[in-house]
Amino acid sequence: MRTPSGGDGRRGVSPEQRGAAPTDRWAESASVPVENAPTEPIDLTGITAPAPVWPLPTDAGTGSSARDAASVLPGVPTWALGADEAGATEPLAEDAAAPGSDGSSPVGMREVWRAARARRRALKSEVRRFTVRARRRRVIWLGSIAAVVLVALGSVGAAYSPLFAVETITVAGAEQLDTAAVSDALSSQLGTPLPLVDESAIKAALVAFPLVESYTVEARPPHDLIVRVVERTPIGVIASPAGFTLVDAAGVALSTTQTPAPGRPVLEITGGTASEAFEAVGHVLRSLPDTIMSQVTAASATTPNDVTLTLGGTGTEIVWGNADESSNKSVALAAAMQSRPPDTVSRYDVSSPSAVVIQ
């Protein structure tokens, strides 16, 4: 059987291979069974067959595409090339995206690094712009702390420098003490910075002065050191083979002379300065007003409950008893001595301040 042939004269090419669908008449003639096929040639006059589609070559070296097919294959109709190949002037999307299709070089690692650096710089700039207040507050706080630290360090450094060295030592509160002698004993502190004054050395120097009961040290910048002392109050003298020893209420020996100190009573205490009787006598003598204390020439006691005082000139005795209610007894004794002077009385008994007995 003879197969239909197209206008190109090729044998055995199907309509699908030629790229176009056949007409109805062509389909009817193509579907005639072989056994019923006519033996005479079929007249195909007036039947138009689709033009064959030829593959379009591409120039790999220059990157040209099917748009140049019209120049490569003359006589090929433009409808077979498509709209873009026939008359469009814009490149295909694939051609524009492909590296080197438009003559530009591909993107390299250097450009990527530059873009990354630019992005980081822009990000840092934005961060600095949005954190300017926080950074300003941080700078202010750090500056304030640094200023305080510098001032503190400067003050400490100046305090421990010779700028604040001791140049003058003043002894205050001394009545019986020789202030010049005390100042000479503390002269080792001259030239020492005020914060470095050695209080243990001051204590060791003042121990040599029995009249000092207590003391305080005051530093007065820039160069003055003031030592305030509290002197012991002598209450009387105790006779001994070495002489007459001046003592205070605590039994501390203040000085020893060959004759009794003027204005100080002679103490006759059983048991010495460590006994309870001596403690009671000291408490009584310190509770007396100065007007009466200046008249007392002797004091004695064998126990804490039989303290007796003696007034000079008249020899009048004052029976005091124990040290309880000493302030009330002093007031009652002053009233009794005003109403009955000592030169007219031999004894005042104030052991009971509410019932004074005068003899």
Side-chain angles (χ1 to χ4, degrees):
M1 172 183 176
R2 294 188 304 172
T3 58
S5 60
D8 54 358
R10 293 189 303 167
R11 299 174 62 86
V13 178
S14 64
E16 289 79 9
Q17 292 176 335
R18 289 193 297 269
T23 62
D24 294 341
R25 185 176 178 182
W26 179 273
E28 292 175 359
S29 62
S31 59
V32 177
V34 176
E35 58 273 12
N36 299 324
T39 58
E40 295 297 329
I42 300 174
D43 186 9
L44 299 179
T45 304
I47 299 176
T48 303
V53 179
W54 298 93
L56 300 180
T58 301
D59 191 351
T62 60
S64 59
S65 61
R67 289 191 304 268
D68 301 329
S71 61
V72 176
L73 299 176
V76 177
T78 56
W79 61 266
L81 299 178
D84 292 339
E85 291 80 353
T89 58
E90 294 297 328
L92 295 177
E94 292 79 358
D95 295 340
S101 61
D102 57 351
S104 60
S105 61
V107 178
M109 291 301 297
R110 181 177 298 178
E111 286 74 10
V112 174
W113 290 338
R114 288 178 180 174
R117 285 197 298 268
R119 182 177 180 276
R120 287 195 295 268
R121 285 195 296 267
L123 182 60
K124 289 181 180 179
S125 176
E126 290 299 314
V127 170
R128 285 193 299 268
R129 185 167 68 89
F130 282 102
T131 59
V132 60
R133 291 187 178 180
R135 287 186 284 110
R136 187 177 302 165
R137 288 195 298 268
R138 189 182 305 113
V139 169
I140 293 174
W141 274 105
L142 292 178
S144 302
I145 294 173
V148 171
V149 172
L150 289 177
V151 170
L153 292 177
S155 302
V156 172
Y160 284 88
S161 68
L163 296 175
F164 290 87
V166 177
E167 295 181 359
T168 304
I169 298 177
T170 304
V171 178
E175 296 179 359
Q176 306 175 64
L177 285 170
D178 185 358
T179 56
V182 176
S183 297
D184 291 340
L186 300 175
S187 60
S188 62
Q189 302 303 312
L190 292 174
T192 304
L194 290 176
L196 298 179
V197 170
D198 190 356
E199 294 194 9
S200 61
I202 294 177
K203 180 179 180 180
L206 294 179
V207 167
F209 299 90
L211 279 175
V212 177
E213 182 176 4
S214 62
Y215 71 93
T216 57
V217 179
E218 177 183 349
R220 184 173 295 176
H223 305 294
D224 294 337
L225 183 67
I226 300 177
V227 179
R228 302 184 183 276
V229 298
V230 177
E231 295 181 336
R232 296 182 182 275
T233 303
I235 61 173
V237 294
I238 297 177
S240 65
F244 293 90
T245 303
L246 186 66
V247 296
D248 68 347
V252 177
L254 305 179
S255 63
T256 300
T257 59
Q258 297 299 319
T259 58
R264 304 299 179 185
V266 178
L267 307 179
E268 297 181 1
I269 310 297
T270 302
T273 58
S275 62
E276 293 181 355
F278 181 84
E279 183 179 356
V281 170
H283 185 75
V284 170
L285 292 177
R286 296 192 65 173
S287 66
L288 293 175
D290 292 339
T291 56
I292 299 177
M293 182 63 185
S294 61
Q295 301 178 45
V296 176
T297 57
S300 61
T302 57
T303 66
N305 298 318
D306 63 349
V307 178
T308 302
L309 308 178
T310 301
L311 299 180
T314 60
T316 303
E317 292 185 352
I318 302 173
V319 179
W320 199 272
N322 55 32
D324 297 339
E325 299 183 276
S326 290
S327 58
N328 294 334
K329 293 176 181 180
S330 297
V331 173
L333 177 61
M337 291 177 65
Q338 187 174 3
S339 62
R340 298 283 300 271
D343 56 353
T344 61
V345 177
S346 60
R347 177 180 292 180
Y348 296 100
D349 189 347
V350 292
S351 56
S352 178
S354 59
V356 178
V357 178
I358 301 175
Q359 294 178 357

